[in-house]
Amino acid sequence: MNTKDFYYDLPEELIAQDPLLNRSSSRLMLLDKETGEIEHKHFYDILDYLNPGDCLVLNETKVIPARLYGVKEDTGAQVEVLLLHRKDKEHWECLVKPGKKLKPGARISFGDGRLKAEIVDILEEGNRLIRFEFSGIFEEVLDQLGEMPLPPYITHKLEDRTRYNTVYAKEEGSAAAPTAGLHWTKELLEQCEAKGVEILRITLHVGLGTFRPVKMEEVEKHHMHSEYYSVSQEVAEKIEACKQRGGRVICTGTTSCRALESAARESGKIEAKSGWTDIFIYPGFEFKVMDALITNFHLPESTLLMLVSALSSREKILHAYEEAVKEKYRFFSFGDAMFIH
Protein backbone atom coordinates (compact mmCIF):
# COMPACT_ATOMS: atom_id res chain seq x y z
CA MET A 1 0.00 0.00 0.00
CA ASN A 2 1.46 3.34 -1.08
CA THR A 3 1.33 6.51 1.03
CA LYS A 4 0.45 8.49 -2.11
CA ASP A 5 -2.79 6.47 -2.32
CA PHE A 6 -4.06 8.59 0.57
CA TYR A 7 -3.48 11.96 -1.07
CA TYR A 8 -6.31 14.39 -1.81
CA ASP A 9 -6.29 18.00 -2.98
CA LEU A 10 -7.36 20.54 -0.35
CA PRO A 11 -7.73 24.29 -1.03
CA GLU A 12 -5.92 26.20 1.72
CA GLU A 13 -8.94 28.38 2.47
CA LEU A 14 -10.82 25.32 3.78
CA ILE A 15 -8.35 24.85 6.69
CA ALA A 16 -10.25 26.15 9.73
CA GLN A 17 -8.23 28.82 11.53
CA ASP A 18 -10.62 29.58 14.41
CA PRO A 19 -13.11 27.55 16.45
CA LEU A 20 -16.79 28.36 15.88
CA LEU A 21 -18.55 30.40 18.55
CA ASN A 22 -20.83 27.48 19.39
CA ARG A 23 -18.99 24.14 19.59
CA SER A 24 -21.89 21.99 18.40
CA SER A 25 -22.86 24.15 15.42
CA SER A 26 -20.12 22.64 13.23
CA ARG A 27 -21.31 20.75 10.20
CA LEU A 28 -21.55 16.97 10.37
CA MET A 29 -21.12 14.61 7.45
CA LEU A 30 -22.76 11.21 7.94
CA LEU A 31 -21.02 8.40 6.07
CA ASP A 32 -22.41 4.87 5.88
CA LYS A 33 -19.21 2.80 6.10
CA GLU A 34 -20.72 -0.07 4.08
CA THR A 35 -22.61 1.72 1.28
CA GLY A 36 -20.70 5.01 1.16
CA GLU A 37 -24.00 6.94 1.35
CA ILE A 38 -23.49 10.54 2.51
CA GLU A 39 -25.80 12.94 4.37
CA HIS A 40 -25.13 16.53 5.47
CA LYS A 41 -26.21 17.69 8.93
CA HIS A 42 -24.95 19.74 11.89
CA PHE A 43 -23.14 18.30 14.88
CA TYR A 44 -26.09 18.91 17.22
CA ASP A 45 -28.06 16.47 15.00
CA ILE A 46 -25.77 13.62 16.20
CA LEU A 47 -28.38 12.88 18.86
CA ASP A 48 -30.72 11.52 16.16
CA TYR A 49 -28.13 8.89 15.16
CA LEU A 50 -27.23 7.56 18.62
CA ASN A 51 -29.45 4.80 20.02
CA PRO A 52 -30.39 3.80 23.57
CA GLY A 53 -27.95 1.09 24.66
CA ASP A 54 -25.04 2.49 22.60
CA CYS A 55 -21.78 3.39 24.35
CA LEU A 56 -20.14 6.72 23.55
CA VAL A 57 -16.42 6.77 24.38
CA LEU A 58 -14.67 10.06 25.24
CA ASN A 59 -10.96 10.73 25.70
CA GLU A 60 -10.53 12.76 28.90
CA THR A 61 -6.98 13.90 28.17
CA LYS A 62 -6.21 17.59 28.69
CA VAL A 63 -3.82 19.67 26.60
CA ILE A 64 -1.31 21.63 28.63
CA PRO A 65 0.20 25.00 27.51
CA ALA A 66 3.22 23.00 26.36
CA ARG A 67 4.96 25.50 24.05
CA LEU A 68 7.61 27.63 25.75
CA TYR A 69 9.66 30.47 24.26
CA GLY A 70 12.97 31.32 25.91
CA VAL A 71 16.57 32.37 25.35
CA LYS A 72 19.93 30.59 25.59
CA GLU A 73 21.63 31.90 28.72
CA ASP A 74 25.08 32.25 27.09
CA THR A 75 24.14 33.88 23.77
CA GLY A 76 20.60 35.28 24.23
CA ALA A 77 19.50 33.39 21.09
CA GLN A 78 15.77 32.68 20.97
CA VAL A 79 14.66 29.07 21.37
CA GLU A 80 11.38 27.18 21.35
CA VAL A 81 10.65 24.14 23.53
CA LEU A 82 7.61 21.87 23.20
CA LEU A 83 6.91 19.56 26.15
CA LEU A 84 6.06 16.05 24.96
CA HIS A 85 5.86 13.93 28.10
CA ARG A 86 6.94 14.11 31.68
CA LYS A 87 9.58 11.68 32.94
CA ASP A 88 9.54 12.77 36.61
CA LYS A 89 9.04 15.94 38.67
CA GLU A 90 11.80 17.89 36.88
CA HIS A 91 12.54 16.02 33.63
CA TRP A 92 10.57 16.18 30.36
CA GLU A 93 11.10 14.79 26.88
CA CYS A 94 10.84 17.78 24.56
CA LEU A 95 11.04 18.92 20.98
CA VAL A 96 13.38 21.91 20.55
CA LYS A 97 14.14 24.57 17.94
CA PRO A 98 16.79 25.22 16.73
CA GLY A 99 18.02 21.71 17.45
CA LYS A 100 21.63 22.23 16.33
CA LYS A 101 22.26 24.87 18.99
CA LEU A 102 20.72 22.97 21.89
CA LYS A 103 23.23 20.30 22.87
CA PRO A 104 23.69 18.63 26.30
CA GLY A 105 24.78 21.25 28.84
CA ALA A 106 23.02 24.15 27.09
CA ARG A 107 20.98 26.28 29.48
CA ILE A 108 17.75 28.14 28.70
CA SER A 109 15.85 30.86 30.54
CA PHE A 110 12.08 31.45 30.22
CA GLY A 111 10.07 34.42 31.46
CA ASP A 112 13.03 36.48 32.73
CA GLY A 113 14.35 33.52 34.72
CA ARG A 114 11.10 32.41 36.37
CA LEU A 115 11.75 29.05 34.72
CA LYS A 116 15.18 27.70 33.79
CA ALA A 117 16.22 24.54 32.00
CA GLU A 118 19.24 22.47 31.04
CA ILE A 119 19.55 20.05 28.13
CA VAL A 120 20.50 16.69 29.68
CA ASP A 121 20.53 14.30 26.73
CA ILE A 122 19.63 13.82 23.05
CA LEU A 123 16.95 11.17 22.57
CA GLU A 124 15.37 9.30 19.66
CA GLU A 125 14.72 11.40 16.52
CA GLY A 126 16.49 14.39 18.03
CA ASN A 127 14.12 14.98 20.96
CA ARG A 128 15.78 16.32 24.11
CA LEU A 129 15.65 15.27 27.74
CA ILE A 130 15.42 18.54 29.66
CA ARG A 131 15.69 19.23 33.39
CA PHE A 132 13.64 22.21 34.56
CA GLU A 133 14.42 24.45 37.55
CA PHE A 134 11.57 26.40 39.14
CA SER A 135 10.08 27.63 42.41
CA GLY A 136 6.61 26.50 43.44
CA ILE A 137 4.35 24.27 41.34
CA PHE A 138 5.49 23.51 37.79
CA GLU A 139 1.92 23.51 36.38
CA GLU A 140 1.31 27.02 37.73
CA VAL A 141 4.57 28.31 36.23
CA LEU A 142 3.68 26.64 32.92
CA ASP A 143 0.22 28.19 33.00
CA GLN A 144 1.81 31.65 33.23
CA LEU A 145 4.57 31.17 30.64
CA GLY A 146 3.38 28.49 28.23
CA GLU A 147 1.22 28.69 25.11
CA MET A 148 -1.17 26.12 23.68
CA PRO A 149 0.69 24.00 21.10
CA LEU A 150 -1.54 24.63 18.08
CA PRO A 151 -0.68 22.70 14.90
CA PRO A 152 1.47 24.56 12.34
CA TYR A 153 -1.41 24.89 9.86
CA ILE A 154 -3.26 27.15 12.34
CA THR A 155 -1.73 30.60 11.94
CA HIS A 156 -4.31 32.65 13.89
CA LYS A 157 -3.71 33.38 17.57
CA LEU A 158 -6.08 31.48 19.87
CA GLU A 159 -7.83 34.11 22.01
CA ASP A 160 -9.44 31.62 24.42
CA ARG A 161 -7.11 28.72 25.28
CA THR A 162 -10.02 26.65 26.69
CA ARG A 163 -11.24 26.20 23.10
CA TYR A 164 -8.31 23.85 22.39
CA ASN A 165 -9.61 21.50 25.08
CA THR A 166 -12.79 19.46 25.25
CA VAL A 167 -15.47 20.40 27.81
CA TYR A 168 -14.70 17.11 29.60
CA ALA A 169 -10.87 17.37 29.58
CA LYS A 170 -9.53 16.24 32.94
CA GLU A 171 -6.21 14.30 32.79
CA GLU A 172 -3.33 16.67 31.97
CA GLY A 173 -0.68 15.37 29.57
CA SER A 174 -1.42 15.99 25.89
CA ALA A 175 0.67 17.95 23.41
CA ALA A 176 -2.34 18.17 21.07
CA ALA A 177 -6.11 18.05 21.44
CA PRO A 178 -8.30 15.04 20.62
CA THR A 179 -10.10 17.37 18.23
CA ALA A 180 -13.23 15.33 17.43
CA GLY A 181 -14.25 15.95 21.04
CA LEU A 182 -14.15 19.74 20.59
CA HIS A 183 -17.68 19.58 19.10
CA TRP A 184 -19.36 18.25 22.24
CA THR A 185 -21.08 20.59 24.68
CA LYS A 186 -22.10 19.61 28.22
CA GLU A 187 -25.76 20.06 27.25
CA LEU A 188 -25.47 17.73 24.26
CA LEU A 189 -23.75 15.06 26.36
CA GLU A 190 -26.52 15.36 28.97
CA GLN A 191 -29.09 14.86 26.18
CA CYS A 192 -27.22 11.73 25.06
CA GLU A 193 -27.42 10.29 28.58
CA ALA A 194 -31.10 11.19 28.85
CA LYS A 195 -31.68 9.24 25.63
CA GLY A 196 -30.10 6.12 27.14
CA VAL A 197 -26.62 6.37 25.62
CA GLU A 198 -23.92 5.29 28.09
CA ILE A 199 -20.96 7.67 28.24
CA LEU A 200 -17.58 6.07 28.98
CA ARG A 201 -14.30 7.88 29.60
CA ILE A 202 -10.80 6.69 28.77
CA THR A 203 -7.44 8.48 28.50
CA LEU A 204 -4.90 8.64 25.70
CA HIS A 205 -2.35 11.44 25.91
CA VAL A 206 -1.92 12.72 22.36
CA GLY A 207 1.71 13.03 21.30
CA LEU A 208 3.11 14.62 18.18
CA GLY A 209 3.64 11.20 16.61
CA THR A 210 -0.04 11.19 15.68
CA PHE A 211 0.55 14.20 13.43
CA ARG A 212 4.01 13.40 12.07
CA PRO A 213 3.96 12.90 8.30
CA VAL A 214 4.35 9.40 6.91
CA LYS A 215 7.80 9.57 5.29
CA MET A 216 7.87 5.97 4.10
CA GLU A 217 6.66 5.25 0.58
CA GLU A 218 5.12 1.99 1.78
CA VAL A 219 2.48 2.54 4.45
CA GLU A 220 3.34 -0.70 6.25
CA LYS A 221 6.91 0.49 6.97
CA HIS A 222 5.79 3.55 8.96
CA HIS A 223 6.38 3.35 12.72
CA MET A 224 4.07 5.19 15.13
CA HIS A 225 5.44 6.94 18.21
CA SER A 226 4.21 5.60 21.54
CA GLU A 227 1.46 7.35 23.49
CA TYR A 228 0.26 6.64 27.02
CA TYR A 229 -3.28 5.33 27.44
CA SER A 230 -5.53 3.95 30.16
CA VAL A 231 -8.75 1.90 29.97
CA SER A 232 -10.31 1.14 33.37
CA GLN A 233 -11.89 -2.11 34.54
CA GLU A 234 -15.28 -0.36 34.74
CA VAL A 235 -15.04 0.79 31.11
CA ALA A 236 -13.94 -2.67 29.94
CA GLU A 237 -16.91 -4.29 31.70
CA LYS A 238 -19.39 -1.74 30.34
CA ILE A 239 -18.12 -2.23 26.78
CA GLU A 240 -18.52 -6.01 27.12
CA ALA A 241 -22.08 -5.48 28.40
CA CYS A 242 -22.79 -3.10 25.48
CA LYS A 243 -21.63 -5.71 22.97
CA GLN A 244 -23.75 -8.41 24.60
CA ARG A 245 -26.93 -6.32 24.44
CA GLY A 246 -26.33 -5.46 20.79
CA GLY A 247 -25.34 -1.83 21.34
CA ARG A 248 -22.66 -0.03 19.35
CA VAL A 249 -19.33 1.19 20.69
CA ILE A 250 -18.98 4.69 19.23
CA CYS A 251 -15.62 6.41 19.66
CA THR A 252 -15.23 10.16 19.77
CA GLY A 253 -11.97 10.58 17.88
CA THR A 254 -9.18 8.39 16.59
CA THR A 255 -7.45 8.58 19.99
CA SER A 256 -10.38 6.86 21.75
CA CYS A 257 -10.32 4.25 18.99
CA ARG A 258 -6.60 3.60 19.36
CA ALA A 259 -6.90 3.24 23.14
CA LEU A 260 -9.74 0.70 22.92
CA GLU A 261 -8.15 -1.32 20.13
CA SER A 262 -4.88 -1.36 22.11
CA ALA A 263 -6.72 -2.84 25.08
CA ALA A 264 -8.44 -5.55 23.00
CA ARG A 265 -7.34 -9.16 22.97
CA GLU A 266 -7.21 -11.24 19.80
CA SER A 267 -10.51 -12.81 20.85
CA GLY A 268 -12.14 -9.38 20.65
CA LYS A 269 -12.67 -9.14 24.40
CA ILE A 270 -11.48 -5.87 25.92
CA GLU A 271 -9.59 -5.78 29.21
CA ALA A 272 -8.56 -3.10 31.67
CA LYS A 273 -5.17 -1.92 30.51
CA SER A 274 -2.77 1.02 30.72
CA GLY A 275 0.65 1.66 29.28
CA TRP A 276 2.20 2.77 26.03
CA THR A 277 0.76 2.02 22.60
CA ASP A 278 2.22 2.44 19.12
CA ILE A 279 -0.74 0.77 17.38
CA PHE A 280 -0.94 1.74 13.70
CA ILE A 281 -4.34 1.25 12.10
CA TYR A 282 -4.59 1.22 8.30
CA PRO A 283 -6.74 -0.63 5.72
CA GLY A 284 -6.76 -4.35 6.40
CA PHE A 285 -6.98 -3.83 10.17
CA GLU A 286 -9.79 -5.76 11.87
CA PHE A 287 -11.54 -3.66 14.51
CA LYS A 288 -12.29 -5.72 17.61
CA VAL A 289 -14.10 -3.09 19.69
CA MET A 290 -15.14 0.04 17.78
CA ASP A 291 -18.30 -0.02 15.66
CA ALA A 292 -18.62 3.65 14.67
CA LEU A 293 -16.47 6.78 14.81
CA ILE A 294 -16.99 10.51 15.25
CA THR A 295 -13.96 12.23 13.74
CA ASN A 296 -12.71 15.40 12.05
CA PHE A 297 -11.37 15.73 8.50
CA HIS A 298 -7.69 14.79 8.45
CA LEU A 299 -4.54 15.80 6.56
CA PRO A 300 -3.70 14.14 3.23
CA GLU A 301 -1.40 11.10 3.53
CA SER A 302 -1.73 11.10 7.35
CA THR A 303 -1.98 8.10 9.68
CA LEU A 304 -5.39 9.44 10.79
CA LEU A 305 -6.72 9.34 7.23
CA MET A 306 -5.43 5.76 7.00
CA LEU A 307 -7.26 4.86 10.22
CA VAL A 308 -10.65 6.14 9.00
CA SER A 309 -10.05 4.37 5.68
CA ALA A 310 -9.63 1.11 7.61
CA LEU A 311 -13.11 1.54 9.11
CA SER A 312 -14.79 2.09 5.75
CA SER A 313 -12.55 1.88 2.66
CA ARG A 314 -9.97 4.15 1.08
CA GLU A 315 -12.23 4.74 -1.93
CA LYS A 316 -15.31 5.64 0.14
CA ILE A 317 -13.34 7.95 2.44
CA LEU A 318 -11.60 9.79 -0.41
CA HIS A 319 -14.95 10.16 -2.18
CA ALA A 320 -16.43 11.62 1.03
CA TYR A 321 -13.47 14.03 1.30
CA GLU A 322 -14.01 15.13 -2.32
CA GLU A 323 -17.64 15.81 -1.41
CA ALA A 324 -16.54 17.75 1.70
CA VAL A 325 -14.23 19.93 -0.42
CA LYS A 326 -17.04 20.54 -2.94
CA GLU A 327 -19.46 21.45 -0.12
CA LYS A 328 -16.82 23.68 1.48
CA TYR A 329 -16.60 21.87 4.82
CA ARG A 330 -14.01 23.22 7.27
CA PHE A 331 -10.97 20.93 7.69
CA PHE A 332 -8.57 19.82 10.46
CA SER A 333 -8.47 20.67 14.20
CA PHE A 334 -11.06 23.49 14.36
CA GLY A 335 -13.01 22.14 11.41
CA ASP A 336 -16.21 20.17 10.89
CA ALA A 337 -16.98 16.57 11.85
CA MET A 338 -17.80 13.25 10.25
CA PHE A 339 -19.76 10.33 11.69
CA ILE A 340 -18.72 7.02 10.12
CA HIS A 341 -21.45 4.58 11.10
Side-chain angles (χ1 to χ4, degrees):
M1 206 179 312
N2 201 297
T3 301
K4 291 189 178 69
D5 294 337
F6 295 88
Y7 178 80
Y8 68 92
D9 198 28
L10 179 69
E12 198 174 325
E13 65 267 20
L14 295 185
I15 299 172
Q17 292 294 326
D18 304 288
L20 295 181
L21 201 59
N22 185 324
R23 288 176 183 261
S24 65
S25 62
S26 298
R27 293 169 76 188
L28 176 69
M29 177 185 282
L30 298 163
L31 174 67
D32 187 309
K33 64 184 179 183
E34 306 296 341
T35 67
E37 185 185 342
I38 291 170
E39 291 180 76
H40 303 289
K41 301 286 181 179
H42 285 90
F43 193 81
Y44 48 71
D45 296 317
I46 191 77
L47 206 60
D48 298 334
Y49 301 91
L50 304 180
N51 304 323
D54 286 344
C55 278
L56 178 68
V57 184
L58 308 176
N59 181 5
E60 282 192 314
T61 191
K62 188 173 187 179
V63 186
I64 58 174
R67 182 168 274 131
L68 288 161
Y69 294 97
V71 294
K72 276 189 78 184
E73 286 189 349
D74 56 352
T75 64
Q78 295 196 333
V79 299
E80 180 185 333
V81 171
L82 183 64
L83 306 177
L84 295 180
H85 60 258
R86 196 172 201 161
K87 298 289 190 179
D88 57 36
K89 190 178 175 219
E90 299 171 341
H91 293 83
W92 284 77
E93 181 176 346
C94 303
L95 204 62
V96 299
K97 285 185 193 174
K100 287 180 183 174
K101 294 183 179 176
L102 293 168
K103 293 177 177 161
R107 291 187 56 81
I108 309 165
S109 175
F110 306 95
D112 297 325
R114 275 185 288 166
L115 179 66
K116 294 193 174 186
E118 184 174 330
I119 308 290
V120 176
D121 198 5
I122 299 177
L123 307 174
E124 184 188 355
E125 295 215 356
N127 292 349
R128 301 297 197 270
L129 181 65
I130 297 182
R131 185 181 70 250
F132 287 93
E133 300 162 12
F134 53 93
S135 295
I137 299 167
F138 182 76
E139 285 77 11
E140 290 179 0
V141 176
L142 189 63
D143 204 46
Q144 292 165 5
L145 301 180
E147 292 186 12
M148 289 306 246
L150 295 179
Y153 50 75
I154 294 177
T155 56
H156 291 190
K157 185 173 174 61
L158 183 64
E159 298 301 329
D160 177 6
R161 65 165 60 172
T162 66
R163 291 307 307 272
Y164 196 55
N165 264 314
T166 61
V167 295
Y168 46 81
K170 182 179 169 188
E171 303 293 336
E172 291 192 337
S174 270
T179 54
L182 297 179
H183 304 284
W184 286 111
T185 62
K186 287 181 178 173
E187 295 75 20
L188 201 51
L189 288 169
E190 284 167 6
Q191 289 173 315
C192 284
E193 284 188 300
K195 189 177 180 179
V197 176
E198 191 162 28
I199 294 176
L200 305 179
R201 298 163 194 268
I202 57 90
T203 300
L204 184 141
H205 291 318
V206 189
L208 291 188
T210 301
F211 304 98
R212 279 208 166 121
V214 179
K215 293 176 181 172
M216 296 292 185
E217 203 170 299
E218 290 178 52
V219 168
E220 296 86 348
K221 290 184 178 176
H222 176 72
H223 177 68
M224 295 285 284
H225 283 246
S226 294
E227 295 167 313
Y228 180 82
Y229 77 102
S230 178
V231 176
S232 70
Q233 183 65 40
E234 182 188 8
V235 166
E237 288 171 2
K238 286 186 172 178
I239 284 175
E240 283 302 311
C242 175
K243 293 283 190 185
Q244 284 171 16
R245 68 176 173 255
R248 295 174 299 169
V249 175
I250 300 164
C251 288
T252 297
T254 56
T255 58
S256 298
C257 164
R258 293 179 70 244
L260 292 190
E261 296 298 331
S262 296
R265 297 182 194 161
E266 281 303 312
S267 64
K269 187 175 173 66
I270 188 167
E271 57 187 348
K273 215 169 180 184
S274 62
W276 296 85
T277 179
D278 60 358
I279 190 171
F280 181 21
I281 298 174
Y282 54 87
F285 181 87
E286 287 188 25
F287 291 90
K288 299 176 182 68
V289 184
M290 184 177 74
D291 299 302
L293 175 67
I294 297 165
T295 188
N296 279 21
F297 290 90
H298 305 295
L299 277 76
E301 298 183 355
S302 64
T303 60
L304 303 177
L305 186 57
M306 292 167 191
L307 186 153
V308 297
S309 297
L311 184 59
S312 178
S313 74
R314 185 183 67 88
E315 294 77 14
K316 288 186 183 74
I317 292 293
L318 289 179
H319 173 68
Y321 273 53
E322 281 174 25
E323 185 76 9
V325 169
K326 195 170 80 178
E327 294 291 329
K328 296 198 171 352
Y329 273 67
R330 300 162 75 250
F331 279 66
F332 307 162
S333 295
F334 289 140
D336 296 316
M338 175 189 260
F339 181 36
I340 307 171
H341 61 99

